Amino acid sequence: MFTTRPTLQGTFGMVSSTHWLASQSAMAVLEDGGNAFDAAVAAGFVLHVVEPHLNGPAGEVPIILAPTGGDVRVLCGQGGAPAGATVAHYRSLGLDLVPGTGPLAAAVPGAFDAWMLLLRDHGTKSLADVLTYAIGYAEDGHAPVERVTETVETVRELFEAEWPSSAEVYLPGGCAPQPGELFRNPALAATWRRLIREAEADAGSGDLSGEALRVAQIDAAREVWRGGFVAEALVRQAGRPTLDTSGERHVGTLRAEDLRGWSASYEDPVTYDWNGWTLCKAGAWSQGPAFLQQLALLPSDIADLPEYGSAAYVHLLVEGCKLAMADREAWYGDAGPGGAEGVPVGELLSPEYNALRRRLVEDKASYELRPGAPGGREPRLCAHALAVASGEAETVGFDAAAGAGEPTVAGDGGTRGDTCHLDIVDRWGNMVAATPSGGWLQSNPVVPELGFPLGTRLQMAWLEDGLPNSLAPGRRPRTTLTPSLALKDGVPVMAFGTPGGDQQDQWQVHFFLGVVMRDAVRGGPDLQGAIDAPNWHTEAFPGSFHPRGMRAGSLAVESRMPADVVDELRRRGHEVMVGGPWSEGRLCAVARDPRSGVLSAAANPRGMQGYAVGR
């Protein structure tokens, strides 16, 4: 099969991310003696600078890590709802949905603390070491990708009329950042320089050296973020009346106590065994278990799957996705502190439950939203989801061109699905996958003192009590972010993921099956071939982004999909929209063969900015 690039192979280290500058910055850390976790933190902060339309420091990040000789862990960088974020408060403002922009949609920022915990607990470098790359690109400038320009131009009127602090950063002199010209964010660089100075001064006041000093500096930086000048600026910004997607100006609920009371945390992954593989995902506060449910709906023997890429194969995966996503809507939410009583993940992945669900997949495409009843529990859907499923509520316009995982941004800043991703494996076998997102330039006004905006992840919670994903103080909104890590015979062998909102666990399932079902090349997995293969997605379930519509029976495919496959899918009843040849997916992946120690990496050519590097 045609591939755009080779699958890279080597033995020293491999990096794949959604932007070449982040990939090369991570590789520079590896070359300087750092490990995969040091490199991931450096790349994460570079992504804040070079993909500001896709993520920011006040956003969120779930991380899956596999330290050599240690257990696979999930590091949750998804902040919860502030104490004042109640259904009653938002309803009192006349809202039926959490706005898609503005401070009312801001959860407690989670990305920064997660990166700091990863660096402290698993890295070897100092805070100054890993931030130097991001500071350099913010201070000295970088040539922005075209999508930054397009996003800024889309929200130009909003910035100029309502969000002047954003216009100051992204429309200097009235001009949007231009490809081929240096774009700078000196306020962001100054924020990191000040944070480093204050953290080093605080940690240096004791009699510490070596590793103890490194750890103390990182913990001091966390304190500056949650209680110092950063926290003060974030709270001030949340209190400023801001025009959002509701068409009204609102103030947010984020307070100093919310920032002081939250920290990133470690969890065990949710896992599923399939054909000799163990797939690890974040819990049901993410959409990660939907990936596992889709595998559980497949035949237990890989030999019983339809031919790879055939209409029967695509139909089987699409219909399984609809069932998994219907369960996501009915059952997924935060089961942590302040969250739901529990999510029945065990039942959702059980053989008995999936044997029943598998019978629902017929020759024809389904146009219904059909959540199941795990353990005999009756599913409950919110009123809005029921309305969009029945066609009574407004449905989001369907645009196959949005499939590349880049944001579809409206003039009011409303965004449908956008993020970044990175995967790294080092010569010692440490492996990490992370999907940073939120805090987009179009989500909230830039905090003038800091150079970056608040996030908007609360838009994914419902304004209806009693649901797993209801808005509630301390509860994490159910996120679409879902990095993956795969083991074989109990050994980590592959880390992967993609941007793309609700599409993430659709594209990843097809990628994973592509790796498993396709022949190996050069003695290793054909990561690039699986990434380059024609992909697709459906929106036949309530979306996670404001205004949270759906389109029953929808199926967007790339024009590279064979015509006879498209014809057969239409015969089966799918409402097929053919998009561009490279419009579906933005996957990254790295792998390690535990027998030979050979490392592999590949990156998505779609969007013209993702790259893998390594040696």
Side-chain angles (χ1 to χ4, degrees):
M1 177 179 287
F2 167 79
T3 60
T4 57
R5 312 165 181 172
T7 295
L8 306 184
Q9 292 188 314
T11 57
F12 179 82
M14 289 284 163
V15 180
S16 179
S17 88
T18 49
H19 196 289
W20 63 85
L21 291 178
S23 294
Q24 189 52 45
S25 296
M27 195 66 200
V29 173
L30 295 182
E31 296 284 3
D32 194 44
N35 64 21
F37 310 117
D38 297 311
V41 177
F45 279 88
V46 169
L47 287 172
H48 297 330
V49 179
V50 300
E51 292 192 309
H53 60 311
L54 301 175
N55 78 136
E60 47 275 328
V61 59
I63 303 168
I64 300 185
L65 58 145
T68 300
D71 295 330
V72 175
R73 299 287 278 164
V74 171
L75 178 50
C76 174
Q78 174 60 66
T86 65
V87 170
H89 173 61
Y90 285 60
R91 288 287 189 178
S92 74
L93 299 173
L95 298 170
D96 296 321
L97 295 173
V98 177
T101 61
L104 275 179
V108 178
F112 178 85
D113 200 58
W115 289 125
M116 291 300 99
L117 277 188
L118 183 66
L119 182 65
R120 185 195 71 180
D121 298 341
H122 299 281
T124 65
K125 294 289 188 179
S126 71
L127 179 63
D129 286 339
V130 296
L131 283 180
T132 186
Y133 306 92
I135 291 171
Y137 288 124
E139 197 166 60
D140 301 328
H142 70 283
V145 295
E146 287 83 353
R147 286 295 297 174
V148 172
T149 306
E150 294 168 12
T151 301
V152 173
E153 289 293 355
T154 300
V155 291
R156 170 185 285 275
E157 184 176 335
L158 174 67
F159 282 11
E160 292 179 335
E162 295 283 344
W163 296 6
S165 60
S166 295
E168 184 175 345
V169 174
Y170 290 103
L171 291 167
C175 297
Q178 295 297 314
E181 298 181 5
L182 290 179
F183 171 69
R184 297 175 175 87
N185 188 343
L188 178 57
T191 294
W192 297 143
R193 288 195 181 280
R194 179 178 174 183
L195 182 137
I196 292 169
R197 285 197 309 271
E198 293 191 10
E200 289 179 345
D202 183 67
S205 61
D207 187 20
L208 299 175
S209 62
E211 177 65 6
L213 180 60
R214 187 189 76 88
V215 168
Q217 289 174 350
I218 295 169
D219 280 335
R222 297 174 67 208
E223 289 304 313
V224 172
W225 176 275
R226 62 164 57 103
F229 78 95
V230 176
E232 293 169 359
L234 292 173
V235 171
R236 277 195 300 271
Q237 184 63 46
R240 294 183 175 115
T242 301
L243 183 68
D244 58 38
T245 54
S246 72
E248 302 291 334
R249 293 177 181 84
H250 293 111
V251 298
T253 60
L254 184 68
R255 300 293 181 266
E257 313 86 73
D258 300 311
L259 287 159
R260 282 199 173 277
W262 185 87
S263 66
S265 58
Y266 292 98
E267 310 175 354
D268 291 329
V270 177
T271 64
Y272 186 75
D273 295 333
W274 186 79
N275 277 275
W277 293 80
T278 299
L279 279 300
C280 302
K281 301 289 282 188
W285 52 268
S286 75
Q287 73 174 359
F291 180 108
L292 309 181
Q293 282 194 254
Q294 290 174 78
L295 289 185
L297 286 164
L298 296 177
S300 57
D301 190 337
I302 193 172
D304 294 332
L305 280 171
E307 179 186 356
Y308 177 80
S310 66
Y313 170 84
V314 176
H315 175 79
L316 180 66
L317 294 190
V318 171
E319 293 304 296
C321 171
K322 294 175 185 177
L323 294 174
M325 291 302 194
D327 277 344
R328 182 191 75 163
E329 191 53 58
W331 298 109
Y332 289 20
D334 185 7
E341 292 183 0
V343 178
V345 173
E347 286 95 340
L348 291 170
L349 294 175
S350 69
E352 297 79 13
Y353 179 74
N354 285 284
L356 293 173
R357 298 287 276 167
R358 203 174 291 122
R359 297 174 191 170
L360 298 176
V361 177
E362 300 178 339
D363 181 65
K364 290 290 186 179
S366 169
Y367 278 62
E368 300 177 70
L369 186 67
R370 299 179 292 177
R377 302 170 179 84
E378 282 300 312
R380 180 184 171 189
L381 299 173
C382 76
H384 182 86
L386 288 170
V388 297
S390 65
E392 297 174 6
E394 177 186 0
T395 298
V396 173
F398 187 63
D399 181 5
E406 291 281 11
T408 304
V409 181
D412 60 5
T415 299
R416 287 182 56 213
D418 44 51
T419 185
C420 311
H421 188 79
L422 64 88
D423 301 302
I424 305 175
V425 60
D426 63 29
R427 62 188 185 274
W428 301 288
N430 297 303
M431 190 175 292
V432 60
T435 310
S437 187
W440 313 304
L441 69 86
Q442 65 274 16
S443 65
N444 258 301
V446 166
V447 183
E449 306 93 324
L450 303 178
F452 59 83
L454 287 163
T456 53
R457 192 60 59 172
L458 288 188
Q459 68 180 287
M460 297 187 173
W462 293 116
L463 296 183
E464 182 177 331
D465 288 318
L467 300 167
N469 191 32
S470 297
L471 180 70
R475 181 181 293 184
R476 293 169 290 188
R478 188 198 71 213
T479 181
T480 54
L481 307 175
T482 172
S484 301
L485 202 141
L487 292 74
K488 206 163 189 184
D489 300 322
V491 179
V493 297
M494 185 164 63
F496 57 98
T498 180
D502 294 311
Q503 290 93 319
Q504 289 181 33
D505 278 321
Q506 302 182 55
W507 294 333
Q508 290 188 70
V509 168
H510 178 44
F511 163 78
F512 172 71
L513 292 176
V515 172
V516 173
M517 297 178 70
R518 289 165 53 88
D519 292 334
V521 295
R522 293 190 296 169
D526 186 9
L527 302 181
Q528 194 65 52
I531 288 174
D532 288 352
N535 217 323
W536 61 83
H537 81 271
T538 179
E539 294 183 354
F541 48 84
S544 297
F545 294 89
H546 186 278
R548 312 204 66 175
M550 66 175 281
R551 183 168 178 174
S554 65
L555 180 58
V557 305
E558 293 181 324
S559 60
R560 293 180 297 125
M561 184 174 284
D564 62 326
V565 172
V566 173
D567 290 344
E568 174 61 15
L569 289 169
R570 286 178 170 146
R571 188 195 69 77
R572 290 175 181 245
H574 296 279
E575 185 181 324
V576 180
M577 177 171 286
V578 179
W582 298 94
S583 56
E584 291 287 325
R586 275 178 65 209
L587 282 142
C588 301
V590 299
R592 179 180 184 272
D593 186 334
R595 298 166 302 176
S596 65
V598 171
L599 312 178
S600 303
N604 175 59
R606 302 164 179 89
M608 302 290 285
Q609 64 191 70
Y611 274 89
V613 295
R615 69 173 179 87

